[in-house]
Amino acid sequence: MTATTELKVGVAGAGRVGSVHIENVIETSGLELVAVCTVVQSEIDMVSKIAPSTTKIFKDFDEFISRAFDLLIICTPTKFHKEHVEKALKTGKHVFCEKPLGPDAKTAWEIYDIALQYSTQKVACGFPRRFADVFQEAAARVKRGDIGKIMSVRSQSVDPYEPSEFFTNYIKNSGGIFVDMNIHDIDVCLYLMGGDETPVTAYATGTANMFPQFAEFGDVDDAFGLVTFESGKVMALYGNRDSMQGHHASAEIAGTKGRITANGSPRLLDLLITDPSGSKTLGAKSHMDLFREAFKKEIRDMRDWILYKKEVAFNLKDAAKAVSIASALMDSLHKGEAVKVLY
Ligand SMILES: NC(=O)c1ccc[n+]([C@@H]2O[C@H](COP(=O)([O-])OP(=O)(O)OC[C@H]3O[C@@H](n4cnc5c(N)ncnc54)[C@H](O)[C@@H]3O)[C@@H](O)[C@H]2O)c1
C-alpha cells in the first residue's frame, strides 16, 4: 500500500461509542467510511445525515460483513464481540474492537486465540487512555526508568451521576463495574507497568448507596479493587458512578526513585478561572469529553499501524488479561473474599 492509499472502513454499531468512531472516521484522512451496521432506526437516520452519500447502511450484520472493506470497527454490545471479530477475520478484514474484548475471561481469551490465527491481519482492542498524551508521556517516562523500579500503580474512574431509568437498565446488562468501567483503569495500569505482567489474586469490595437498585443485580456504584502480580507489583483501582462534578480519570505510578501522577486534578483544559467566588478549573463532563482527542488518535494509529506498520500502544494480550482481572474482581466482590485470577 502507498502513502495515498485509503482504507475502506465499516463500523458495526452506531450508538454511544459507535457514533464517536463514525464521526472520527469521516474526518480522518486516509479513511473512507463505506458501510455502517445498526439495528436502531434513529441511528440509521443520524448516519444518513452525517455520512458521505456513498456509505451503505445495513441492519443485518452478515450482509454488512460480506461487503468488501479493509477495517471493521466493532461498537456492538460486548456479547457480540467474539462473533463479529471472527466473521471479520474470516472475510479478510483488520479489526478494531471496542472494550471490553469479551464479556468474560474465557470468551476474551478465545478471541485472542482466534486473532493469533490471522497473523497478516491486525486486531486491536480500543482503550482511549493508551492514546491520551498524558498517559503516553507517563508510560514513556516509566519505560525510560525515570522513577526507578515500579512498585505499584493506582487508577480511578469517577463517572457522572446519572439517575435515569435508561442508565439503571444499562448497568443491569453491563457485566458489572469492574468489567464495564474499571476495565479502562486495569488496562491503563497494565500499559503503565509496561511488561507482560502475570496477575495472581484479586480482592474487591464496594457499596451501592446512591443506586441501591444496583445491589439487586450484584453491582455497586462505589468500587475498590486490589490486584497482586507475580512480580510483586500491586494494582489499586477505584470506580465511582456518583460524581456531581463530571468525569475524572487519573492514575499514579509509584517507583523506587519517584512517582508520576497523570491527570491528578479533575480538569479538561489547563485553565484556571479566578473570580469573586474563588478559583476553579473546567472539569470534563464525561469520559468521551475527557478523551475526545485520544479517541481520534486511537483511530489514526489504527490506520497507521495497518498502512505504515507504525508502532502502536494497542495490546490485545493486555485486553484479554484485563477481562481476566475484571472478572476476578467481580467474583471477589460477590464472594467477599480474595480470589485467584484465572489467567
Ligand atoms: N471506549 C469507550 O470508552 C466505550 C464507551 C462506551 C461503550 N464502549 C463499548 O462499546 C460497545 C458498545 O457500547 P455502546 O454503549 O456504544 O452501545 P449502544 O447500545 O449505544 O450501541 C450498540 C450498537 O450496536 C448495534 N447492534 C446491536 N445488536 C446488533 C447486532 N446483532 N448486529 C449489529 N449491530 C448491533 C446497535 O444497533 C447499536 O448501534 C460495548 O462493548 C461497550 O463496552 C466503549
Side-chain angles (χ1 to χ4, degrees), residues 104-136:
D104 53 69
K106 183 172 171 287
T107 312
W109 285 106
E110 283 168 2
I111 296 173
Y112 177 74
D113 287 338
I114 292 166
L116 290 185
Q117 292 164 27
Y118 293 83
S119 57
T120 58
Q121 285 153 258
K122 309 281 191 225
V123 183
C125 183
F127 283 103
R129 284 181 213 184
R130 283 180 180 255
F131 298 88
D133 289 348
V134 65
F135 291 112
Q136 291 206 331

PDB file of all heavy atoms in Angstrom, residues 104-136:
ATOM      1  N   ASP A 104     -16.558 -12.154  29.316  1.00  0.00           N
ATOM      2  CA  ASP A 104     -15.955 -12.939  30.398  1.00  0.00           C
ATOM      3  C   ASP A 104     -14.565 -13.372  29.946  1.00  0.00           C
ATOM      4  O   ASP A 104     -14.219 -13.271  28.754  1.00  0.00           O
ATOM      5  CB  ASP A 104     -16.826 -14.163  30.734  1.00  0.00           C
ATOM      6  CG  ASP A 104     -17.120 -14.969  29.489  1.00  0.00           C
ATOM      7  OD1 ASP A 104     -16.183 -15.577  28.960  1.00  0.00           O
ATOM      8  OD2 ASP A 104     -18.274 -14.957  29.012  1.00  0.00           O
ATOM      9  N   ALA A 105     -13.770 -13.878  30.902  1.00  0.00           N
ATOM     10  CA  ALA A 105     -12.364 -14.192  30.613  1.00  0.00           C
ATOM     11  C   ALA A 105     -12.242 -15.268  29.540  1.00  0.00           C
ATOM     12  O   ALA A 105     -11.412 -15.153  28.627  1.00  0.00           O
ATOM     13  CB  ALA A 105     -11.670 -14.626  31.900  1.00  0.00           C
ATOM     14  N   LYS A 106     -13.087 -16.314  29.626  1.00  0.00           N
ATOM     15  CA  LYS A 106     -12.978 -17.421  28.659  1.00  0.00           C
ATOM     16  C   LYS A 106     -13.168 -16.886  27.226  1.00  0.00           C
ATOM     17  O   LYS A 106     -12.379 -17.168  26.330  1.00  0.00           O
ATOM     18  CB  LYS A 106     -14.040 -18.478  29.001  1.00  0.00           C
ATOM     19  CG  LYS A 106     -13.998 -19.696  28.132  1.00  0.00           C
ATOM     20  CD  LYS A 106     -14.964 -20.751  28.680  1.00  0.00           C
ATOM     21  CE  LYS A 106     -15.130 -21.905  27.713  1.00  0.00           C
ATOM     22  NZ  LYS A 106     -15.922 -21.593  26.524  1.00  0.00           N
ATOM     23  N   THR A 107     -14.216 -16.088  27.033  1.00  0.00           N
ATOM     24  CA  THR A 107     -14.503 -15.553  25.692  1.00  0.00           C
ATOM     25  C   THR A 107     -13.393 -14.608  25.225  1.00  0.00           C
ATOM     26  O   THR A 107     -12.989 -14.635  24.054  1.00  0.00           O
ATOM     27  CB  THR A 107     -15.866 -14.808  25.687  1.00  0.00           C
ATOM     28  OG1 THR A 107     -16.827 -15.629  26.328  1.00  0.00           O
ATOM     29  CG2 THR A 107     -16.329 -14.470  24.300  1.00  0.00           C
ATOM     30  N   ALA A 108     -12.896 -13.776  26.141  1.00  0.00           N
ATOM     31  CA  ALA A 108     -11.841 -12.826  25.758  1.00  0.00           C
ATOM     32  C   ALA A 108     -10.595 -13.577  25.271  1.00  0.00           C
ATOM     33  O   ALA A 108      -9.995 -13.206  24.253  1.00  0.00           O
ATOM     34  CB  ALA A 108     -11.490 -11.923  26.939  1.00  0.00           C
ATOM     35  N   TRP A 109     -10.215 -14.651  25.986  1.00  0.00           N
ATOM     36  CA  TRP A 109      -9.028 -15.410  25.564  1.00  0.00           C
ATOM     37  C   TRP A 109      -9.308 -16.182  24.285  1.00  0.00           C
ATOM     38  O   TRP A 109      -8.391 -16.410  23.479  1.00  0.00           O
ATOM     39  CB  TRP A 109      -8.542 -16.321  26.694  1.00  0.00           C
ATOM     40  CG  TRP A 109      -7.842 -15.511  27.755  1.00  0.00           C
ATOM     41  CD1 TRP A 109      -8.325 -15.181  28.991  1.00  0.00           C
ATOM     42  CD2 TRP A 109      -6.557 -14.880  27.659  1.00  0.00           C
ATOM     43  NE1 TRP A 109      -7.430 -14.389  29.675  1.00  0.00           N
ATOM     44  CE2 TRP A 109      -6.333 -14.190  28.881  1.00  0.00           C
ATOM     45  CE3 TRP A 109      -5.585 -14.817  26.669  1.00  0.00           C
ATOM     46  CZ2 TRP A 109      -5.171 -13.457  29.125  1.00  0.00           C
ATOM     47  CZ3 TRP A 109      -4.413 -14.090  26.915  1.00  0.00           C
ATOM     48  CH2 TRP A 109      -4.226 -13.421  28.126  1.00  0.00           C
ATOM     49  N   GLU A 110     -10.559 -16.596  24.071  1.00  0.00           N
ATOM     50  CA  GLU A 110     -10.900 -17.256  22.789  1.00  0.00           C
ATOM     51  C   GLU A 110     -10.710 -16.269  21.635  1.00  0.00           C
ATOM     52  O   GLU A 110     -10.178 -16.622  20.580  1.00  0.00           O
ATOM     53  CB  GLU A 110     -12.348 -17.774  22.819  1.00  0.00           C
ATOM     54  CG  GLU A 110     -12.494 -19.063  23.621  1.00  0.00           C
ATOM     55  CD  GLU A 110     -13.958 -19.452  23.914  1.00  0.00           C
ATOM     56  OE1 GLU A 110     -14.886 -18.743  23.465  1.00  0.00           O
ATOM     57  OE2 GLU A 110     -14.142 -20.454  24.614  1.00  0.00           O
ATOM     58  N   ILE A 111     -11.129 -15.026  21.847  1.00  0.00           N
ATOM     59  CA  ILE A 111     -10.943 -14.005  20.802  1.00  0.00           C
ATOM     60  C   ILE A 111      -9.452 -13.799  20.547  1.00  0.00           C
ATOM     61  O   ILE A 111      -8.996 -13.718  19.400  1.00  0.00           O
ATOM     62  CB  ILE A 111     -11.629 -12.665  21.210  1.00  0.00           C
ATOM     63  CG1 ILE A 111     -13.145 -12.857  21.320  1.00  0.00           C
ATOM     64  CG2 ILE A 111     -11.283 -11.553  20.219  1.00  0.00           C
ATOM     65  CD1 ILE A 111     -13.905 -11.654  21.870  1.00  0.00           C
ATOM     66  N   TYR A 112      -8.686 -13.750  21.622  1.00  0.00           N
ATOM     67  CA  TYR A 112      -7.221 -13.581  21.496  1.00  0.00           C
ATOM     68  C   TYR A 112      -6.636 -14.721  20.658  1.00  0.00           C
ATOM     69  O   TYR A 112      -5.846 -14.492  19.734  1.00  0.00           O
ATOM     70  CB  TYR A 112      -6.608 -13.548  22.907  1.00  0.00           C
ATOM     71  CG  TYR A 112      -5.100 -13.448  22.897  1.00  0.00           C
ATOM     72  CD1 TYR A 112      -4.468 -12.255  22.566  1.00  0.00           C
ATOM     73  CD2 TYR A 112      -4.311 -14.552  23.224  1.00  0.00           C
ATOM     74  CE1 TYR A 112      -3.079 -12.167  22.545  1.00  0.00           C
ATOM     75  CE2 TYR A 112      -2.929 -14.472  23.206  1.00  0.00           C
ATOM     76  CZ  TYR A 112      -2.317 -13.273  22.867  1.00  0.00           C
ATOM     77  OH  TYR A 112      -0.951 -13.188  22.842  1.00  0.00           O
ATOM     78  N   ASP A 113      -7.057 -15.957  20.959  1.00  0.00           N
ATOM     79  CA  ASP A 113      -6.527 -17.122  20.224  1.00  0.00           C
ATOM     80  C   ASP A 113      -6.948 -17.086  18.749  1.00  0.00           C
ATOM     81  O   ASP A 113      -6.164 -17.433  17.872  1.00  0.00           O
ATOM     82  CB  ASP A 113      -7.013 -18.438  20.873  1.00  0.00           C
ATOM     83  CG  ASP A 113      -6.297 -18.699  22.190  1.00  0.00           C
ATOM     84  OD1 ASP A 113      -5.195 -18.144  22.383  1.00  0.00           O
ATOM     85  OD2 ASP A 113      -6.845 -19.433  23.034  1.00  0.00           O
ATOM     86  N   ILE A 114      -8.182 -16.682  18.492  1.00  0.00           N
ATOM     87  CA  ILE A 114      -8.651 -16.588  17.095  1.00  0.00           C
ATOM     88  C   ILE A 114      -7.777 -15.570  16.348  1.00  0.00           C
ATOM     89  O   ILE A 114      -7.314 -15.816  15.239  1.00  0.00           O
ATOM     90  CB  ILE A 114     -10.146 -16.164  17.035  1.00  0.00           C
ATOM     91  CG1 ILE A 114     -11.036 -17.283  17.580  1.00  0.00           C
ATOM     92  CG2 ILE A 114     -10.563 -15.812  15.604  1.00  0.00           C
ATOM     93  CD1 ILE A 114     -12.468 -16.844  17.887  1.00  0.00           C
ATOM     94  N   ALA A 115      -7.521 -14.435  16.986  1.00  0.00           N
ATOM     95  CA  ALA A 115      -6.725 -13.370  16.341  1.00  0.00           C
ATOM     96  C   ALA A 115      -5.328 -13.884  15.974  1.00  0.00           C
ATOM     97  O   ALA A 115      -4.789 -13.523  14.924  1.00  0.00           O
ATOM     98  CB  ALA A 115      -6.626 -12.154  17.264  1.00  0.00           C
ATOM     99  N   LEU A 116      -4.765 -14.735  16.831  1.00  0.00           N
ATOM    100  CA  LEU A 116      -3.406 -15.254  16.566  1.00  0.00           C
ATOM    101  C   LEU A 116      -3.359 -16.087  15.278  1.00  0.00           C
ATOM    102  O   LEU A 116      -2.308 -16.207  14.655  1.00  0.00           O
ATOM    103  CB  LEU A 116      -2.926 -16.123  17.738  1.00  0.00           C
ATOM    104  CG  LEU A 116      -2.602 -15.408  19.055  1.00  0.00           C
ATOM    105  CD1 LEU A 116      -2.036 -16.401  20.064  1.00  0.00           C
ATOM    106  CD2 LEU A 116      -1.626 -14.252  18.845  1.00  0.00           C
ATOM    107  N   GLN A 117      -4.527 -16.658  14.919  1.00  0.00           N
ATOM    108  CA  GLN A 117      -4.561 -17.497  13.698  1.00  0.00           C
ATOM    109  C   GLN A 117      -4.498 -16.660  12.413  1.00  0.00           C
ATOM    110  O   GLN A 117      -4.341 -17.205  11.329  1.00  0.00           O
ATOM    111  CB  GLN A 117      -5.839 -18.343  13.675  1.00  0.00           C
ATOM    112  CG  GLN A 117      -5.896 -19.412  14.758  1.00  0.00           C
ATOM    113  CD  GLN A 117      -7.308 -19.936  14.946  1.00  0.00           C
ATOM    114  OE1 GLN A 117      -8.124 -19.900  14.011  1.00  0.00           O
ATOM    115  NE2 GLN A 117      -7.614 -20.403  16.140  1.00  0.00           N
ATOM    116  N   TYR A 118      -4.719 -15.353  12.540  1.00  0.00           N
ATOM    117  CA  TYR A 118      -4.745 -14.481  11.345  1.00  0.00           C
ATOM    118  C   TYR A 118      -3.574 -13.492  11.435  1.00  0.00           C
ATOM    119  O   TYR A 118      -3.766 -12.298  11.678  1.00  0.00           O
ATOM    120  CB  TYR A 118      -6.083 -13.741  11.277  1.00  0.00           C
ATOM    121  CG  TYR A 118      -7.254 -14.655  11.008  1.00  0.00           C
ATOM    122  CD1 TYR A 118      -7.867 -15.355  12.047  1.00  0.00           C
ATOM    123  CD2 TYR A 118      -7.751 -14.836   9.717  1.00  0.00           C
ATOM    124  CE1 TYR A 118      -8.934 -16.220  11.811  1.00  0.00           C
ATOM    125  CE2 TYR A 118      -8.809 -15.690   9.472  1.00  0.00           C
ATOM    126  CZ  TYR A 118      -9.396 -16.376  10.521  1.00  0.00           C
ATOM    127  OH  TYR A 118     -10.453 -17.220  10.283  1.00  0.00           O
ATOM    128  N   SER A 119      -2.357 -14.012  11.242  1.00  0.00           N
ATOM    129  CA  SER A 119      -1.175 -13.198  11.538  1.00  0.00           C
ATOM    130  C   SER A 119      -0.978 -12.018  10.579  1.00  0.00           C
ATOM    131  O   SER A 119      -0.270 -11.067  10.919  1.00  0.00           O
ATOM    132  CB  SER A 119       0.065 -14.079  11.541  1.00  0.00           C
ATOM    133  OG  SER A 119       0.152 -14.725  10.293  1.00  0.00           O
ATOM    134  N   THR A 120      -1.611 -12.045   9.413  1.00  0.00           N
ATOM    135  CA  THR A 120      -1.410 -10.911   8.497  1.00  0.00           C
ATOM    136  C   THR A 120      -2.475  -9.815   8.699  1.00  0.00           C
ATOM    137  O   THR A 120      -2.417  -8.771   8.058  1.00  0.00           O
ATOM    138  CB  THR A 120      -1.458 -11.371   7.020  1.00  0.00           C
ATOM    139  OG1 THR A 120      -2.716 -12.003   6.794  1.00  0.00           O
ATOM    140  CG2 THR A 120      -0.323 -12.332   6.698  1.00  0.00           C
ATOM    141  N   GLN A 121      -3.451 -10.087   9.583  1.00  0.00           N
ATOM    142  CA  GLN A 121      -4.479  -9.065   9.839  1.00  0.00           C
ATOM    143  C   GLN A 121      -4.272  -8.482  11.243  1.00  0.00           C
ATOM    144  O   GLN A 121      -3.958  -9.212  12.190  1.00  0.00           O
ATOM    145  CB  GLN A 121      -5.874  -9.689   9.714  1.00  0.00           C
ATOM    146  CG  GLN A 121      -6.269  -9.946   8.274  1.00  0.00           C
ATOM    147  CD  GLN A 121      -7.267 -11.089   8.148  1.00  0.00           C
ATOM    148  OE1 GLN A 121      -6.925 -12.211   7.785  1.00  0.00           O
ATOM    149  NE2 GLN A 121      -8.515 -10.793   8.460  1.00  0.00           N
ATOM    150  N   LYS A 122      -4.440  -7.180  11.360  1.00  0.00           N
ATOM    151  CA  LYS A 122      -4.257  -6.525  12.662  1.00  0.00           C
ATOM    152  C   LYS A 122      -5.552  -6.626  13.468  1.00  0.00           C
ATOM    153  O   LYS A 122      -6.637  -6.400  12.916  1.00  0.00           O
ATOM    154  CB  LYS A 122      -3.938  -5.039  12.482  1.00  0.00           C
ATOM    155  CG  LYS A 122      -2.816  -4.758  11.512  1.00  0.00           C
ATOM    156  CD  LYS A 122      -1.481  -4.989  12.156  1.00  0.00           C
ATOM    157  CE  LYS A 122      -0.357  -4.458  11.302  1.00  0.00           C
ATOM    158  NZ  LYS A 122       0.765  -5.380  11.200  1.00  0.00           N
ATOM    159  N   VAL A 123      -5.417  -6.922  14.757  1.00  0.00           N
ATOM    160  CA  VAL A 123      -6.585  -6.950  15.649  1.00  0.00           C
ATOM    161  C   VAL A 123      -6.248  -6.110  16.883  1.00  0.00           C
ATOM    162  O   VAL A 123      -5.277  -6.394  17.588  1.00  0.00           O
ATOM    163  CB  VAL A 123      -6.959  -8.381  16.081  1.00  0.00           C
ATOM    164  CG1 VAL A 123      -8.228  -8.357  16.934  1.00  0.00           C
ATOM    165  CG2 VAL A 123      -7.159  -9.284  14.862  1.00  0.00           C
ATOM    166  N   ALA A 124      -7.059  -5.096  17.121  1.00  0.00           N
ATOM    167  CA  ALA A 124      -6.828  -4.202  18.262  1.00  0.00           C
ATOM    168  C   ALA A 124      -8.059  -4.150  19.140  1.00  0.00           C
ATOM    169  O   ALA A 124      -9.178  -4.314  18.656  1.00  0.00           O
ATOM    170  CB  ALA A 124      -6.511  -2.802  17.750  1.00  0.00           C
ATOM    171  N   CYS A 125      -7.836  -3.914  20.432  1.00  0.00           N
ATOM    172  CA  CYS A 125      -8.966  -3.621  21.322  1.00  0.00           C
ATOM    173  C   CYS A 125      -8.798  -2.170  21.760  1.00  0.00           C
ATOM    174  O   CYS A 125      -7.717  -1.764  22.191  1.00  0.00           O
ATOM    175  CB  CYS A 125      -8.949  -4.572  22.520  1.00  0.00           C
ATOM    176  SG  CYS A 125     -10.375  -4.327  23.604  1.00  0.00           S
ATOM    177  N   GLY A 126      -9.854  -1.392  21.639  1.00  0.00           N
ATOM    178  CA  GLY A 126      -9.781   0.051  21.868  1.00  0.00           C
ATOM    179  C   GLY A 126      -9.858   0.443  23.334  1.00  0.00           C
ATOM    180  O   GLY A 126     -10.821   0.104  24.024  1.00  0.00           O
ATOM    181  N   PHE A 127      -8.820   1.146  23.791  1.00  0.00           N
ATOM    182  CA  PHE A 127      -8.798   1.749  25.136  1.00  0.00           C
ATOM    183  C   PHE A 127      -8.212   3.144  24.960  1.00  0.00           C
ATOM    184  O   PHE A 127      -6.985   3.297  24.863  1.00  0.00           O
ATOM    185  CB  PHE A 127      -7.900   0.931  26.083  1.00  0.00           C
ATOM    186  CG  PHE A 127      -8.525  -0.334  26.585  1.00  0.00           C
ATOM    187  CD1 PHE A 127      -8.162  -1.562  26.052  1.00  0.00           C
ATOM    188  CD2 PHE A 127      -9.473  -0.305  27.604  1.00  0.00           C
ATOM    189  CE1 PHE A 127      -8.732  -2.739  26.516  1.00  0.00           C
ATOM    190  CE2 PHE A 127     -10.042  -1.478  28.082  1.00  0.00           C
ATOM    191  CZ  PHE A 127      -9.671  -2.701  27.535  1.00  0.00           C
ATOM    192  N   PRO A 128      -9.052   4.195  24.915  1.00  0.00           N
ATOM    193  CA  PRO A 128      -8.546   5.520  24.550  1.00  0.00           C
ATOM    194  C   PRO A 128      -7.448   6.072  25.450  1.00  0.00           C
ATOM    195  O   PRO A 128      -6.622   6.859  24.991  1.00  0.00           O
ATOM    196  CB  PRO A 128      -9.797   6.403  24.581  1.00  0.00           C
ATOM    197  CG  PRO A 128     -10.823   5.628  25.322  1.00  0.00           C
ATOM    198  CD  PRO A 128     -10.494   4.186  25.141  1.00  0.00           C
ATOM    199  N   ARG A 129      -7.407   5.636  26.732  1.00  0.00           N
ATOM    200  CA  ARG A 129      -6.371   6.213  27.611  1.00  0.00           C
ATOM    201  C   ARG A 129      -4.962   5.928  27.087  1.00  0.00           C
ATOM    202  O   ARG A 129      -4.052   6.716  27.301  1.00  0.00           O
ATOM    203  CB  ARG A 129      -6.523   5.684  29.039  1.00  0.00           C
ATOM    204  CG  ARG A 129      -7.674   6.349  29.735  1.00  0.00           C
ATOM    205  CD  ARG A 129      -7.877   5.899  31.159  1.00  0.00           C
ATOM    206  NE  ARG A 129      -9.306   5.951  31.428  1.00  0.00           N
ATOM    207  CZ  ARG A 129      -9.876   5.701  32.582  1.00  0.00           C
ATOM    208  NH1 ARG A 129      -9.131   5.353  33.613  1.00  0.00           N
ATOM    209  NH2 ARG A 129     -11.187   5.767  32.714  1.00  0.00           N
ATOM    210  N   ARG A 130      -4.780   4.789  26.411  1.00  0.00           N
ATOM    211  CA  ARG A 130      -3.462   4.463  25.839  1.00  0.00           C
ATOM    212  C   ARG A 130      -3.038   5.485  24.783  1.00  0.00           C
ATOM    213  O   ARG A 130      -1.880   5.498  24.372  1.00  0.00           O
ATOM    214  CB  ARG A 130      -3.511   3.089  25.148  1.00  0.00           C
ATOM    215  CG  ARG A 130      -3.473   1.932  26.104  1.00  0.00           C
ATOM    216  CD  ARG A 130      -3.521   0.607  25.381  1.00  0.00           C
ATOM    217  NE  ARG A 130      -3.481  -0.481  26.344  1.00  0.00           N
ATOM    218  CZ  ARG A 130      -2.407  -1.250  26.585  1.00  0.00           C
ATOM    219  NH1 ARG A 130      -1.318  -1.081  25.882  1.00  0.00           N
ATOM    220  NH2 ARG A 130      -2.449  -2.184  27.503  1.00  0.00           N
ATOM    221  N   PHE A 131      -3.993   6.297  24.295  1.00  0.00           N
ATOM    222  CA  PHE A 131      -3.694   7.244  23.204  1.00  0.00           C
ATOM    223  C   PHE A 131      -3.778   8.694  23.675  1.00  0.00           C
ATOM    224  O   PHE A 131      -3.634   9.608  22.877  1.00  0.00           O
ATOM    225  CB  PHE A 131      -4.628   6.954  22.012  1.00  0.00           C
ATOM    226  CG  PHE A 131      -4.387   5.565  21.501  1.00  0.00           C
ATOM    227  CD1 PHE A 131      -5.070   4.487  22.037  1.00  0.00           C
ATOM    228  CD2 PHE A 131      -3.404   5.332  20.564  1.00  0.00           C
ATOM    229  CE1 PHE A 131      -4.795   3.185  21.629  1.00  0.00           C
ATOM    230  CE2 PHE A 131      -3.113   4.040  20.149  1.00  0.00           C
ATOM    231  CZ  PHE A 131      -3.814   2.963  20.680  1.00  0.00           C
ATOM    232  N   ALA A 132      -4.019   8.883  24.976  1.00  0.00           N
ATOM    233  CA  ALA A 132      -4.067  10.244  25.526  1.00  0.00           C
ATOM    234  C   ALA A 132      -2.634  10.678  25.823  1.00  0.00           C
ATOM    235  O   ALA A 132      -1.862   9.909  26.403  1.00  0.00           O
ATOM    236  CB  ALA A 132      -4.909  10.252  26.800  1.00  0.00           C
ATOM    237  N   ASP A 133      -2.282  11.912  25.447  1.00  0.00           N
ATOM    238  CA  ASP A 133      -0.911  12.415  25.622  1.00  0.00           C
ATOM    239  C   ASP A 133      -0.399  12.181  27.041  1.00  0.00           C
ATOM    240  O   ASP A 133       0.738  11.776  27.248  1.00  0.00           O
ATOM    241  CB  ASP A 133      -0.849  13.925  25.328  1.00  0.00           C
ATOM    242  CG  ASP A 133      -1.023  14.212  23.849  1.00  0.00           C
ATOM    243  OD1 ASP A 133      -0.950  13.247  23.060  1.00  0.00           O
ATOM    244  OD2 ASP A 133      -1.264  15.377  23.499  1.00  0.00           O
ATOM    245  N   VAL A 134      -1.263  12.470  28.021  1.00  0.00           N
ATOM    246  CA  VAL A 134      -0.817  12.438  29.410  1.00  0.00           C
ATOM    247  C   VAL A 134      -0.394  11.023  29.832  1.00  0.00           C
ATOM    248  O   VAL A 134       0.631  10.836  30.504  1.00  0.00           O
ATOM    249  CB  VAL A 134      -1.918  13.052  30.333  1.00  0.00           C
ATOM    250  CG1 VAL A 134      -3.185  12.219  30.338  1.00  0.00           C
ATOM    251  CG2 VAL A 134      -1.418  13.256  31.736  1.00  0.00           C
ATOM    252  N   PHE A 135      -1.123  10.012  29.400  1.00  0.00           N
ATOM    253  CA  PHE A 135      -0.754   8.637  29.768  1.00  0.00           C
ATOM    254  C   PHE A 135       0.411   8.140  28.904  1.00  0.00           C
ATOM    255  O   PHE A 135       1.258   7.377  29.371  1.00  0.00           O
ATOM    256  CB  PHE A 135      -1.963   7.700  29.658  1.00  0.00           C
ATOM    257  CG  PHE A 135      -3.019   7.980  30.710  1.00  0.00           C
ATOM    258  CD1 PHE A 135      -4.248   8.499  30.363  1.00  0.00           C
ATOM    259  CD2 PHE A 135      -2.760   7.740  32.056  1.00  0.00           C
ATOM    260  CE1 PHE A 135      -5.209   8.779  31.330  1.00  0.00           C
ATOM    261  CE2 PHE A 135      -3.711   8.018  33.031  1.00  0.00           C
ATOM    262  CZ  PHE A 135      -4.942   8.540  32.675  1.00  0.00           C
ATOM    263  N   GLN A 136       0.479   8.604  27.642  1.00  0.00           N
ATOM    264  CA  GLN A 136       1.601   8.192  26.789  1.00  0.00           C
ATOM    265  C   GLN A 136       2.911   8.758  27.339  1.00  0.00           C
ATOM    266  O   GLN A 136       3.937   8.074  27.353  1.00  0.00           O
ATOM    267  CB  GLN A 136       1.368   8.645  25.335  1.00  0.00           C
ATOM    268  CG  GLN A 136       0.222   7.875  24.678  1.00  0.00           C
ATOM    269  CD  GLN A 136       0.310   7.793  23.163  1.00  0.00           C
ATOM    270  OE1 GLN A 136       0.860   8.681  22.522  1.00  0.00           O
ATOM    271  NE2 GLN A 136      -0.256   6.746  22.589  1.00  0.00           N
TER     272      GLN A 136
END
